[in-house]
Amino acid sequence: MAKPVFTEEAASPEYAAQLDAQDPLAAFRDKFIIPSKANIASKKLAKPGLSSEPCIYFCGNSLGIQSKATVNFVEAQLDTWASIGVGGHFTDLEDSPLKQWQLLSEQAAASMSKIVGAKPDEVAAMGTLTTNLHLLLASFYKPTATKHKIILDWKAFPSDHYAIESQIAWHNLDPKQSMVLIGPEEGEYEISTERILSLIDENADKAALLLLPGIQYYTGQFFDIKKITHYAHSRNLVVGWDLAHAYGNLELKLHEWNVDFAVWCTYKYGNAGPGAMGGLFVHEKHGQVDYAEGEDCPKFRHRLTGWYGGDRSVRFKMDNKFKPIPGAGGFQISNPSAIDLAALCAALSVFDGTSMAELRHKSVRLTAYLEYLLLKDYDEESRPFRIITPKNHEARGAQLSLLLKPGLLQNVSQKLQEAGIICDKREPDVVRVAPVPLYNTFSEVWTFVQIFKKALEV
């Protein structure tokens, strides 16, 4: 998709309203509960202000808003529990949007697989992002005396950094010697693909694994997963991706790109709720189960095992003979929370009504429109902020990170909040703005820019 180009007339509120009127995904906004300005300014617990003036919510890169389906799905789960108790594990109820509890994780995985470009049996709904990362590193990080390094992003989300550091220490290795951080050129924020490939070359002889974010949380840069994965494989590295900011944000093709493993959370662009159940991907080549030596001697990739990774046909035999589910399901550990799965399935039901290709098409236009309006009327010298997200629309998702001149952040944040605009700030000087195609509008982008520019006038 070519990057949208806007002319002078695009700077008017009428033009923004016209873009909204032409938006084929406009109806999806009504599937969500937009927090009201009154509620976000209140300190009291309140019912959603469905008739109140909505805020402008550009913080889906931290926490997506609640879909209207969530209440129905969670109530269905609670009603199942209340009405048939333990039978909910094995009974499909008519008029319920949810499968029996034993199949609920598979229901979620089937929907998530379409979002990440995978086969359904390559995806599992379970745990949370960092827990899943630990579980997969336990399976995929196999250091030797000569190949023990993990290559990661210089500004990896702290939880990823901690997980990698602790996994290295678990193997009695020194994180200072076994962690290789990829950073940008001096004074820059974007990390070129060529720089990443060069660093892979420099460390290939001693590196065991590459773990990068699909989208860098601070800058919003989208890494070239396909090219980087292919090159790292050619240098004999295992490749994993943290898709926390990529899941539900842009088109992914994990199976086609031959990614070894990936993890993600579902509460950002996925809208499944704070701390919601996460997901993981394991390529089918790593999920095979070989019974050549008999049913009692399955051969499979080593992982930390638990009873819910075992085939349902023998799960309740209690004979301590682990028969793993082929694919990512075999990496499951424990009985997953049905309430969490209900909320996740509710969020996924919205995604089931469209496609990532359609969402990405709108997202590119929304973000390009935001960029156009932000840069309009400024020259390079006078502009009091810098967009540190890549200019290339193919190298970014829904987020633009705005690096303000020192001393502006607190005033800008306060003015935005007073105007009923929710964005994410990162000390000391960055505002992250993320218009989400499922529920944000071009008119909201226009309004935000007017208020943001006014707030810069100190």
Side-chain angles (χ1 to χ4, degrees):
M1 175 184 174
K3 185 175 180 178
V5 177
F6 300 98
T7 59
E8 283 292 320
E9 65 177 357
S12 70
E14 292 78 17
Y15 187 89
Q18 180 182 339
L19 291 176
D20 287 328
Q22 297 169 347
D23 175 17
L25 299 179
F28 277 86
R29 178 178 171 87
D30 192 48
K31 295 181 181 293
F32 291 88
I33 302 172
I34 313 294
S36 70
K37 288 185 176 181
N39 281 351
I40 65 171
S42 175
K43 299 299 182 182
K44 290 185 178 181
L45 180 64
K47 293 292 184 181
L50 298 180
S51 61
S52 303
E53 183 182 1
C55 74
I56 295 179
Y57 194 90
F58 283 171
C59 207
N61 53 341
S62 283
L63 178 68
I65 58 177
Q66 185 182 134
S67 73
K68 293 178 181 176
T70 302
V71 170
N72 295 332
F73 277 63
V74 172
E75 283 185 347
Q77 192 282 324
L78 294 174
D79 289 345
T80 300
W81 180 23
S83 61
I84 61 174
V86 70
H89 283 102
F90 313 104
T91 307
D92 288 317
L93 296 178
E94 295 181 13
D95 301 323
S96 173
L98 301 169
K99 293 182 181 292
Q100 58 184 264
W101 298 336
Q102 268 218 112
L103 301 178
L104 208 46
S105 60
E106 283 88 344
Q107 178 178 341
S111 292
M112 282 200 290
S113 68
K114 293 181 288 186
I115 294 175
V116 299
K119 296 182 178 181
D121 61 2
E122 291 178 315
V123 172
M126 58 181 278
T128 52
L129 190 154
T130 306
T131 300
N132 291 341
L133 179 58
H134 272 296
L135 292 171
L136 293 186
L137 285 175
S139 180
F140 284 93
Y141 179 51
K142 301 296 183 184
T144 66
T146 55
K147 289 180 72 67
H148 56 87
K149 293 185 177 183
I150 296 180
I151 302 174
L152 64 153
D153 171 36
W154 70 304
K155 223 170 178 52
F157 199 79
S159 195
D160 282 15
H161 190 101
Y162 302 154
I164 291 171
E165 195 170 33
S166 64
Q167 287 281 337
I168 290 170
W170 178 255
H171 289 278
N172 295 317
L173 297 169
D174 182 358
K176 293 180 180 178
Q177 300 299 319
S178 295
M179 295 174 73
V180 179
L181 275 60
I182 298 176
E185 299 284 354
E186 184 70 29
E188 295 299 322
Y189 290 88
E190 183 175 351
I191 307 173
S192 69
T193 299
E194 290 68 29
R195 185 171 177 83
I196 294 172
L197 303 187
S198 176
L199 199 121
I200 290 172
D201 278 338
E202 290 176 22
N203 293 275
D205 291 342
K206 294 184 178 180
L209 186 142
L210 171 74
L211 180 73
L212 291 177
I215 286 185
Q216 212 287 332
Y217 84 95
Y218 186 72
T219 66
Q221 178 180 355
F222 174 37
F223 290 108
D224 191 337
I225 296 176
K226 178 181 179 180
K227 186 172 184 177
I228 294 169
T229 298
H230 178 77
Y231 193 81
H233 280 162
S234 75
R235 301 311 307 270
N236 199 30
L237 271 67
V238 173
V239 183
W241 292 89
D242 174 348
L243 304 176
H245 291 266
Y247 170 82
N249 186 359
L250 32 71
E251 284 190 274
L252 301 167
K253 299 179 181 180
L254 299 186
H255 175 81
E256 180 183 319
W257 295 339
N258 202 27
V259 169
D260 291 306
F261 71 91
V263 293
W264 56 87
C265 55
T266 60
Y267 52 79
K268 300 180 188 296
Y269 298 100
N271 312 309
M277 183 174 290
L280 61 82
F281 164 88
V282 176
H283 196 280
E284 65 178 359
K285 64 186 176 184
H286 299 300
Q288 297 174 358
V289 182
D290 180 6
Y291 288 101
E293 297 182 16
E295 284 292 311
D296 291 335
C297 300
K299 302 296 180 184
F300 53 93
R301 183 182 188 89
H302 174 76
R303 78 285 305 264
L304 299 180
T305 53
W307 78 302
Y308 240 72
D311 193 275
R312 286 190 302 276
S313 65
V314 298
R315 185 177 289 165
F316 290 95
K317 286 189 175 181
M318 307 302 178
D319 59 5
N320 292 332
K321 294 179 180 178
F322 184 66
K323 184 179 180 181
I325 299 171
F331 286 76
Q332 294 177 101
I333 300 294
S334 301
N335 184 1
S337 164
I339 293 178
D340 287 338
L341 280 169
L344 174 57
C345 288
L348 289 167
S349 72
V350 179
F351 283 90
D352 286 340
T354 181
S355 69
M356 286 311 303
E358 292 175 313
L359 291 173
R360 176 63 171 159
H361 186 271
K362 178 180 175 181
S363 181
V364 168
R365 290 174 60 79
L366 267 177
T367 308
Y369 188 53
L370 171 63
E371 179 185 42
Y372 165 77
L373 293 177
L374 283 169
L375 297 180
K376 182 176 170 51
D377 300 327
Y378 286 119
D379 57 43
E380 196 75 28
E381 296 292 325
S382 64
R383 190 177 351 117
F385 63 90
R386 172 186 175 185
I387 300 176
I388 59 175
T389 307
K391 294 180 180 179
N392 178 4
H393 68 290
E394 293 182 350
R396 68 190 188 195
Q399 171 184 318
L400 291 185
S401 293
L402 313 179
L403 177 65
L404 310 185
K405 288 188 174 180
L408 292 177
L409 182 63
Q410 296 307 319
N411 182 67
V412 168
S413 297
Q414 181 179 340
K415 296 298 184 184
L416 292 177
Q417 186 173 357
E418 289 172 354
I421 297 175
I422 306 296
C423 289
D424 178 74
K425 68 176 182 180
R426 295 284 159 163
E427 301 285 357
D429 299 306
V430 168
V431 175
R432 300 189 307 162
V433 188
V436 176
L438 274 172
Y439 50 77
N440 285 132
T441 68
F442 292 91
S443 293
E444 287 180 315
V445 168
W446 186 90
T447 300
F448 163 80
V449 173
Q450 313 313 307
I451 295 170
F452 174 73
K453 288 185 174 180
K454 187 72 174 177
L456 291 170
E457 300 172 3
V458 179

